[in-house]
Amino acid sequence: AQKVTQAQTEISVVEKEDVTLDCVYETRDTTYYLFWYKQPPSGELVFLIRRNSFDEQNEISGRYSWNFQKSTSSFNFTITASQVVDSAVYFCALSEPDNNAGNMLTFGGGTRLMVKP
Amino acid sequence: EAEVAQSPRYKITEKSQAVAFWCDPISGHATLYWYRQILGQGPELLVQFQDESVVDDSQLPKDRFSAERLKGVDSTLKIQPAELGDSAMYLCASSLSLGLGEETQYFGPGTRLLVL
């Protein structure tokens, strides 16, 4: 069964600090997809990135970067020079191909990031 | 930018009452999902539709929950009767197609339900 673990339940940093959010996953499949979502206080989940299991290249988007390592089953997310607007709960999620279950996302428990001015 | 719409945003009800939530997916998205998110936890899938057909409702408590997507566009999730433990955020999401795990799901703002 698939499982996603975000061991850090809450992180507090001061603005401009770099911060890394950890995500460890478990799956029996060789093909799978990993996602990160941001949930601000307003409640909606905002899609940040999707990565497939065959693409281990790290990705950078502005202040955001992602490090995917299959050897350790991790998909970590780093925010460089954090800002107050980055304060939110961040979720890592996993999806496996399953003809019976369609497109089910399994979410981790989330990491609450608080960025203080 | 196209968005998933949900209403109401907030709902307070008493236990044993019936409640209903509505979702309108992004135009052209064939697949629709309902998730429940208990405070402090990640969302959990309740049901997913491909057009008007249910693909997976294995996690839907069918004794009190029902979901429909009659015309394959918008959807309604109903709880009858509501219980205290149903207090949670109910999130709707949509994706272009069902896919095999690769489809990105886009979420609406959610409905916060409080059962008293």
Side-chain angles (χ1 to χ4, degrees), chain B residues 29-77:
Chain B
H29 279 197
T31 311
L32 184 147
Y33 315 79
W34 283 102
Y35 287 83
R36 177 170 60 184
Q37 184 180 19
I38 295 170
L39 189 64
Q41 299 181 19
E44 293 181 329
L45 182 69
L46 291 173
V47 60
Q48 57 177 315
F49 291 90
Q50 175 69 8
D51 299 314
E52 66 277 5
S53 300
V54 174
V55 172
D56 179 19
D57 63 356
S58 58
Q59 301 304 311
L60 190 70
K62 299 181 187 62
D63 56 334
R64 297 184 300 106
F65 286 65
S66 64
E68 61 184 17
R69 194 184 183 198
L70 294 176
K71 297 182 179 179
V73 181
D74 59 338
S75 174
T76 301
L77 178 69

Side-chain angles (χ1 to χ4, degrees), chain A residues 3-114:
Chain A
K3 183 180 178 181
V4 177
T5 302
Q6 296 179 253
Q8 307 149 306
T9 56
E10 199 167 292
I11 300 175
S12 181
V13 299
V14 177
E15 208 170 17
K16 298 184 183 177
E17 284 185 13
D18 299 347
V19 57
T20 295
L21 310 182
D22 297 334
C23 172
V24 174
Y25 61 91
E26 295 176 27
T27 177
R28 293 172 296 185
D29 284 348
T30 56
T31 301
Y32 52 89
Y33 302 85
L34 295 163
F35 301 79
W36 275 95
Y37 284 86
K38 173 182 180 181
Q39 188 173 42
S42 53
E44 79 278 18
L45 282 163
V46 178
F47 166 71
L48 296 178
I49 190 172
R50 180 187 73 196
R51 173 68 71 210
N52 73 57
S53 55
F54 298 107
D55 182 1
E56 288 194 72
Q57 279 193 338
N58 293 331
E59 181 155 341
I60 298 175
S61 176
R63 296 184 298 107
Y64 295 171
S65 62
W66 290 269
N67 180 261
F68 176 32
Q69 292 196 338
K70 288 179 72 171
S71 60
T72 56
S73 298
S74 65
F75 186 41
N76 297 337
F77 173 31
T78 297
I79 301 174
T80 303
S82 60
Q83 299 177 2
V84 173
V85 293
D86 296 328
S87 298
V89 181
Y90 291 86
F91 290 96
C92 181
L94 168 69
S95 180
E96 297 173 337
D98 186 328
N99 289 327
N100 295 321
N103 199 29
M104 187 181 81
L105 277 175
T106 296
F107 284 86
T111 297
R112 179 178 299 278
L113 174 64
M114 292 178 291

